[in-house]
Amino acid sequence: METHVRSIVKSISWRIIATLVTAGWTYVFTGSVSIAVLVGSSEALSKIFLYWAHERAWHRVQWGRVIPAVSSP
């Protein structure tokens, strides 16, 4: 079982990588640091929440999970 804190930390670590890529490409296309920062930060904030919600929703889905057999002593 994954805790809420673990899901949040995973979301943040992934968003750092993805946001740097988005801001970098925005800078390449616009040549503006301020636009790159604005686009990167707004993208990061919205997608951290969306990723977390997606992870938590899938945590509730039982489809495709293998339940380990319980062995008795």
Side-chain angles (χ1 to χ4, degrees):
M1 181 173 184
E2 187 160 301
T3 66
H4 291 281
V5 173
R6 180 178 163 86
S7 293
I8 290 169
V9 171
K10 283 172 54 180
S11 300
I12 292 169
S13 67
W14 170 246
R15 287 310 333 148
I16 289 169
I17 294 166
T19 298
L20 290 174
V21 170
T22 298
W25 279 112
T26 302
Y27 177 73
V28 167
F29 286 115
T30 66
S32 170
V33 172
S34 60
I35 292 174
V37 169
L38 178 64
V39 169
S41 60
S42 62
E43 181 258 357
L45 293 174
S46 63
K47 289 186 178 177
I48 285 172
F49 172 74
L50 291 171
Y51 178 82
W52 173 82
H54 180 262
E55 283 283 309
R56 297 315 300 171
W58 270 102
H59 182 70
R60 295 174 182 232
V61 175
Q62 296 301 314
W63 172 80
R65 286 189 180 175
V66 177
I67 300 171
V70 177
S71 60
S72 57

